[in-house]
């Protein structure tokens, strides 16, 4: 195996990934959390360590308080809050895992403190307002699954004014990816398959690679610019309506002359004051991995050149747990002629970069190129 | 990661694995072979090297002959036969890949020899009888996908008497697996999850592990006895009806006292005289991996003790490309008392083996135990 190979899967191919179904009864969203395997994967992910550490640090804010855990799963965070001194923890879980959570709570001696409520957050009744809401609601591309919607409903209904949210803030990041021979490495395979020229499959192979957002571990050295924050959610104030469409205009200025493969996105959340859980490529694997978007053709960018980018992620109309993600971008020159171009050529072509100067445009004159990813849905 | 961790997936979870759908138009069986990714995986698998080497060795038998390639995919084997001197190769492919195969054949200069026919094998017409049939038809557990049925139909209709089949023979193997702490390693996780006792999830986790046949790489050191051949098909003579249900009674005599995890199965095919392509665990990875069947409870076996096993694999009635696999077994003593027992205990219990003697039975007296895997279908 090649070290540089991304362990790639589209969302369709990712069985251990978070559920892909909708919301109605019996459609599989909550059912998928009834399996132990998905909890094992989440518990083994460093997200759990990060939450437990943050809860421990927040002990002074939890002592004697009423806590609500939205989507408690096995109950691990609810118990951690109890251990940290909470007076009572309401642990709400819609899947059948609630039954097991109640057993775990009881066999660990936390039944007096942790009350497991089996039901949907939108429907359960709590006996009181709470001081703290804890939840691990993040999906792929942060918002996939739309579980944050349930957390905000819980906040508006059950959190006392000024109450604490864990996490308190969430950010979604986008960054252009260097190709760096990456795509060619995959596609060059077809030019000599056991001595047979299968170049005619190259275009088809490329289309398959680019067809959908890719859930994969992206090597951090492929990041081509400083990442840009495309959504910064203060969970105490963000309104549910704002989650229906998240969009942002961001500029990336390339540090180097490079051929771009597309974009990568990842997120981070602030669990406690200054304590972040980040799923960035350089932070090491999580079960979320990253989401990458590959262009059909590479985009050549020069040093100092700016990629004006618009990104939007909208909840799918038919299934709000899914996302329709669109990214469009164009090059705008900041520097003198000779530094700006876009090419439809394949990066595999070694002569690709030498002819750039002839396509150079005037400074500050945006190229005509505009590319919208035909990657509509993360479902 | 743990070296001993099997890279496990049930057939549901295995996207790159061979197609899971049925046979009707539009139901996805042939469509799934329209994607380039599946061909890339197969071409990179050592099965391709083995076929190409065998075809090269068979050149004296191919020179000047008419060859039929059943399910030619990208056309690689058809071209190899042409290179080896075949007069004409009829390359039949039902999926859209046929169009690309024709292009590949043409751009490599083999159009005069290799005729790509886009259609189902059962429906295409050849202008003549052929001397050789080549096909890579093997599915998971050898028979999954039922593509061999199409090869036999082609044989009966188009192969001249005494013609050559590549492969000529196929064998399916079964072997008991040592637990060797394997299952406990997975399940012990639940007894201390970040300091919380989740033992109540252990049974559920075990049930999930055992629910279905597992497509995985099995470490060869887990093989507990000499493997037994449960089907040995001479492709020149085997009748299509015989593929509807393959069944066998086999005995395994344990070399060691061990706790058994279940069974593993794999296959091999003879491509040319004495040249085998084997998917056995000790032969290294292939895209087929192996199929393992895990018991709900381990079975303790003593040295020299015999596990009388009955296995059957029947084509599913609703979808003949799927298999209903059943394995039942019982222990029969061959040696003096003290060597025979079965235990329903979990291998995680360190005291498990010490109490075996008290359960000992008279020699040659089969234990009452009989276990049928509730693993019905590989779909």
């Amino acid at each position: 195996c090649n070290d540089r190979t991304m362990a790639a899967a589209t969302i369709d191919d990712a069985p251990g990934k978070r559920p892909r179904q909708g919301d109605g009864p019996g459609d599989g969203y909550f059912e998928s959390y009834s399996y132990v395997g998905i909890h094992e994967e989440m518990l083994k992910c460093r997200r759990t360590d990060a939450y437990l550490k943050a809860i421990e640090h927040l002990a002074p804010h939890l002592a004697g308080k009423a806590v609500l855990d939205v989507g408690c799963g096995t109950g691990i965070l609810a118990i951690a809050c109890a251990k940290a001194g909470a007076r009572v923890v309401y642990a709400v879980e819609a899947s059948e895992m609630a039954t097991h959570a109640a057993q775990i709570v009881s066999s660990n001696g936390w039944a007096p403190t942790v009350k497991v409520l089996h039901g949907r957050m939108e429907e359960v009744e709590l006996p009181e307002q709470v001081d703290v809401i804890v939840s691990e609601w993040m999906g792929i591309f942060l918002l996939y699954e739309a579980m944050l919607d349930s957390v905000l409903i819980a906040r508006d209904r059950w959190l006392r004014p000024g109450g604490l949210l864990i996490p308190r803030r969430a950010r979604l990041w986008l960054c252009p990816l260097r190709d760096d021979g990456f795509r060619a490495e995959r596609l060059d395979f077809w030019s000599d398959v056991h001595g047979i020229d299968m170049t005619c499959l190259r275009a088809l192979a490329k289309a398959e690679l680019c067809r959908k957002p890719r859930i994969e571990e992206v090597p951090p050295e492929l990041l081509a610019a400083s990442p840009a924050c495309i959504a910064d959610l203060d969970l105490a104030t963000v309104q549910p309506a704002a989650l229906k469409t998240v969009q942002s205009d961001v500029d990336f200025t390339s540090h180097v002359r490079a051929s771009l493969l597309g974009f990568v996105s990842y997120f981070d959340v602030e669990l406690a004051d200054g304590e972040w859980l980040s799923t960035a490529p350089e932070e090491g694997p999580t079960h979320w991995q990253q989401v990458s978007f590959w262009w059909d053709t590479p985009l050549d960018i020069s040093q100092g050149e700016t990629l004006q980018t618009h990104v939007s992620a909208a909840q799918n109309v038919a299934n709000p747990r899914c996302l329709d993600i669109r990214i469009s971008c164009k090059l705008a020159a900041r520097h003198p002629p000779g530094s700006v171009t876009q090419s439809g050529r394949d990066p595999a072509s070694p002569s690709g970069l030498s002819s750039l100067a002839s396509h150079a445009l005037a400074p500050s004159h945006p190229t005509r190129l505009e590319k919208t990813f035909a990657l509509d849905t993360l479902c």
Side-chain angles (χ1 to χ4, degrees), chain A:
Chain A
C1 277
N2 188 320
D3 279 339
R4 295 185 59 245
T5 302
M6 297 189 198
T10 66
I11 187 78
D12 285 351
D13 301 336
K17 295 291 151 276
R18 293 300 193 78
R20 65 191 76 166
Q21 289 97 344
D23 211 351
D27 72 351
Y29 178 71
F30 294 121
E31 282 81 346
S32 67
Y33 282 108
S34 302
Y35 292 101
V36 175
I38 197 170
H39 292 280
E40 183 177 349
E41 187 184 4
M42 292 190 294
L43 289 165
K44 286 178 172 172
C45 172
R46 64 181 167 77
R47 60 139 225 168
T48 306
D49 303 277
Y51 266 84
L52 295 180
K53 194 174 144 217
I55 289 168
E56 214 179 296
H57 288 186
L58 288 167
H61 302 275
L62 293 165
K65 299 293 173 61
V67 177
L68 167 59
D69 180 352
V70 181
C72 74
T74 55
I76 189 158
L77 302 185
I79 293 174
C81 291
K83 280 184 175 174
R87 170 176 57 80
V88 61
V89 184
Y90 304 105
V92 177
E93 173 60 41
S95 85
E96 286 302 315
M97 194 51 59
T99 316
H100 308 295
Q103 247 182 301
I104 290 166
V105 163
S106 163
S107 65
N108 285 273
W110 292 104
T113 311
V114 180
K115 316 292 181 194
V116 177
L117 305 172
H118 187 179
R120 294 165 57 100
M121 189 63 238
E122 291 77 359
E123 290 160 9
V124 298
E125 291 293 324
L126 307 186
E128 58 175 324
Q129 296 286 98
V130 298
D131 306 289
V132 181
I133 289 180
V134 64
S135 182
E136 195 282 85
W137 50 265
M138 297 84 76
I140 288 163
F141 200 82
L142 186 64
L143 299 172
Y144 182 62
E145 289 184 64
M147 190 176 153
L148 179 55
D149 293 62
S150 300
V151 173
L152 299 189
I153 289 167
R155 174 199 70 186
D156 293 343
R157 188 157 178 216
W158 299 111
L159 188 65
R160 68 157 180 77
L164 179 68
L165 282 144
I166 310 172
R168 59 182 68 184
R169 186 178 173 192
R171 296 184 300 189
L172 185 58
W173 296 86
L174 191 73
C175 187
L177 276 178
R178 300 183 61 155
D179 182 288
D180 206 18
F182 209 93
R183 190 199 319 237
E185 226 169 73
R186 280 296 294 274
L187 297 181
D188 286 351
F189 168 73
W190 297 106
S191 47
D192 180 359
V193 181
H194 300 276
I196 298 168
D197 176 8
M198 298 197 183
T199 309
C200 64
L201 291 179
R202 196 183 166 100
L204 206 59
K206 193 162 69 176
E208 275 180 33
L209 288 172
C210 302
R211 197 172 51 95
K212 286 200 161 200
R214 303 166 61 79
I215 317 298
E216 57 194 355
E217 302 281 353
V218 170
E221 63 271 21
L222 292 192
L223 271 60
S226 299
C229 183
I230 56 173
D232 189 347
L233 310 176
D234 177 348
L235 299 190
T237 58
V238 66
Q239 291 304 305
L243 303 180
K244 290 208 182 300
T245 304
V246 163
Q247 53 185 324
S248 183
D249 287 295
V250 284
D251 285 0
F252 298 100
T253 300
S254 185
H255 300 319
V256 289
R257 179 172 185 151
S259 183
L260 299 180
L261 184 65
F263 292 98
V264 62
S265 77
Y266 58 87
F267 63 86
D268 55 18
V269 293
E270 190 181 21
L271 294 169
D273 208 12
E275 277 188 53
W276 292 88
L277 164 61
S278 169
T279 66
E282 67 273 20
E283 298 295 327
T286 67
H287 76 288
W288 290 284
Q289 303 181 268
Q290 289 96 35
V291 185
S292 70
F293 303 84
W294 290 22
W295 274 300
D296 297 320
T297 47
L299 179 70
D300 291 330
I301 195 166
S302 299
Q303 194 181 3
E305 201 172 9
T306 296
L307 191 61
Q308 297 176 332
T309 306
H310 178 77
V311 55
S312 73
Q315 291 183 352
N316 183 269
V317 176
N319 184 349
R321 293 203 187 273
C322 295
L323 296 173
D324 295 330
I325 302 170
R326 293 196 161 266
I327 309 177
S328 61
C329 59
K330 58 182 175 184
L331 286 172
R334 275 192 181 167
H335 286 265
S339 63
V340 182
T341 191
Q342 197 279 330
S343 159
R345 271 168 287 105
D346 196 288
S349 153
S351 64
L353 293 176
S354 59
S355 63
L356 296 189
S358 63
H359 297 278
L361 297 164
S364 302
H365 180 91
T367 72
R368 291 295 97 196
L369 174 88
E370 186 152 343
K371 165 99 190 139
T372 301
F373 280 92
L375 300 162
D376 291 307
T377 191
L378 192 65
C379 256

